[in-house]
Amino acid sequence: MKKTIIVIVILLIAGAVFWMFKSKTNTPATETTSMSANQSQVADTDISTINKDIDSIDVGNTDQEFNDVNKDLQGL
């Protein structure tokens, strides 16, 4: 009786491993984008637009913040 259970468990494990490796859902997806789609995305995003966005970022007064940190460090 125990041999039968062991054989069944081994067959189930072997079947699961076989199914896992042969299953198409585990294969990596292929990339479906074409070169023309990538080129149109680059054309839509202008370098000047990116530079404008970067320039519009407000980081505040960093010099004052660094001076405060330096004063705290000197006090240690």
Side-chain angles (χ1 to χ4, degrees):
M1 182 72 172
K2 286 188 176 193
K3 285 184 180 181
T4 307
I5 293 174
I6 292 173
V7 170
I8 291 173
V9 169
I10 290 173
L11 288 175
L12 286 174
I13 291 172
V17 169
F18 177 77
W19 176 75
M20 184 176 62
F21 283 114
K22 294 296 180 179
S23 176
K24 289 185 179 182
T25 59
N26 289 332
T27 58
T30 58
E31 190 172 328
T32 58
T33 58
S34 64
M35 288 298 283
S36 62
N38 289 338
Q39 290 174 351
S40 67
Q41 288 176 348
V42 172
D44 291 341
T45 307
D46 218 9
I47 298 297
S48 62
T49 305
I50 294 172
N51 286 336
K52 233 188 279 186
D53 289 341
I54 290 172
D55 290 338
S56 69
I57 296 173
D58 182 24
V59 292
N61 189 359
T62 55
D63 291 334
Q64 180 62 37
E65 292 177 21
F66 285 127
N67 286 336
D68 292 342
V69 171
N70 284 334
K71 286 178 187 176
D72 290 341
L73 287 175
Q74 290 173 358
L76 292 177

